[in-house]
Amino acid sequence: MSKKSTKKKCIDLYSGIGGWALGFKLCGIEITKSFEWWSDAAITHDINLNLSTDQCNIREQNPKRINEKIDFLVGSPPCTQFSYSNRGGSGNIKDGLKDISKFLEFVKVLKPKYWAMENVPRVANVISRELNTNGFLKEFRDICSNSMIHIYDFSEFGLPQKRKRCI
């Protein structure tokens, strides 16, 4: 009797042009859903990866409507509100936290085996502050902690430029 092989499944939030999806696809992991609001990115994602992105405002999505068991949940919420490159770091952090909160809501509801979120390094301090005070993210303390937040320089993993990111 042979063991039935089950393909691992992933949902990609704030999928952009498909960086996460490409990596998972190359590892043989099925991307069951991708969500992206920006039409140009969604079109590029779908053409390059032969996938179908749900083009929508993720903030308006209810994760309880997704009735599937997944192994991975990944995503890269917009960084424009957190980036020092955007208006010299004077972005609307409270607005940016809405996307971080929505991502964490998906994690809490879907309960994937593994999850990862990527953003600019500044987000590490913002998330830490919001988790450790009675801030905007306090309801997610059970799924996210300071020990889970790391800054990596992707040039150490083969990227041909110095690029720090919060994971």
Side-chain angles (χ1 to χ4, degrees):
M1 184 184 272
S2 67
K3 196 174 187 179
K4 184 178 178 184
S5 133
T6 56
K7 193 168 193 175
K8 297 204 180 302
K9 296 180 178 182
C10 178
I11 291 178
D12 187 4
L13 299 175
Y14 305 94
S15 62
I17 63 168
W20 282 110
L22 175 61
F24 277 87
K25 191 173 181 179
L26 290 171
C27 291
I29 296 168
E30 178 185 1
I31 304 300
T32 60
K33 293 184 184 340
S34 288
F35 297 90
E36 174 58 49
W37 72 272
W38 185 33
S39 64
D40 291 344
I43 290 166
T44 302
H45 177 282
D46 293 353
I47 290 170
N48 286 339
L49 298 170
N50 196 26
L51 294 169
S52 180
T53 301
D54 186 351
Q55 191 177 331
C56 61
N57 181 345
I58 298 168
R59 290 181 182 182
E60 297 172 358
Q61 300 308 302
N62 182 350
K64 292 178 182 172
R65 295 183 69 210
I66 297 175
N67 296 323
E68 70 178 276
K69 197 84 173 133
I70 58 167
D71 299 286
F72 301 93
L73 178 69
V74 295
S76 300
C79 64
T80 53
Q81 302 297 5
F82 304 107
S83 175
Y84 286 114
S85 298
N86 181 38
R87 291 170 272 177
S90 299
N92 184 340
I93 289 178
K94 289 222 183 285
D95 184 63
L97 280 167
K98 291 176 184 176
D99 290 304
I100 304 291
S101 177
K102 181 52 86 168
F103 180 90
L104 293 173
E105 178 187 346
F106 269 82
V107 171
K108 198 166 197 165
V109 170
L110 297 179
K111 297 177 177 49
K113 291 178 186 174
Y114 309 98
W115 62 272
M117 180 182 66
E118 174 272 337
N119 214 294
V120 295
R122 183 181 188 191
V123 168
N125 290 331
V126 172
I127 291 174
S128 180
R129 181 182 66 243
E130 294 297 319
L131 286 171
N132 294 322
T133 64
N134 281 331
F136 198 73
L137 301 177
K138 67 184 177 195
E139 69 182 281
F140 301 110
R141 289 180 185 146
D142 58 331
I143 61 166
C144 187
S145 66
N146 287 342
S147 66
M148 299 169 73
I149 303 167
H150 302 283
I151 306 292
Y152 295 98
D153 182 347
F154 278 50
S155 68
E156 295 174 12
F157 299 94
L159 192 70
Q161 68 180 22
K162 188 172 182 151
R163 184 166 175 85
K164 291 186 178 181
R165 305 306 282 172
C166 173
I167 304 290

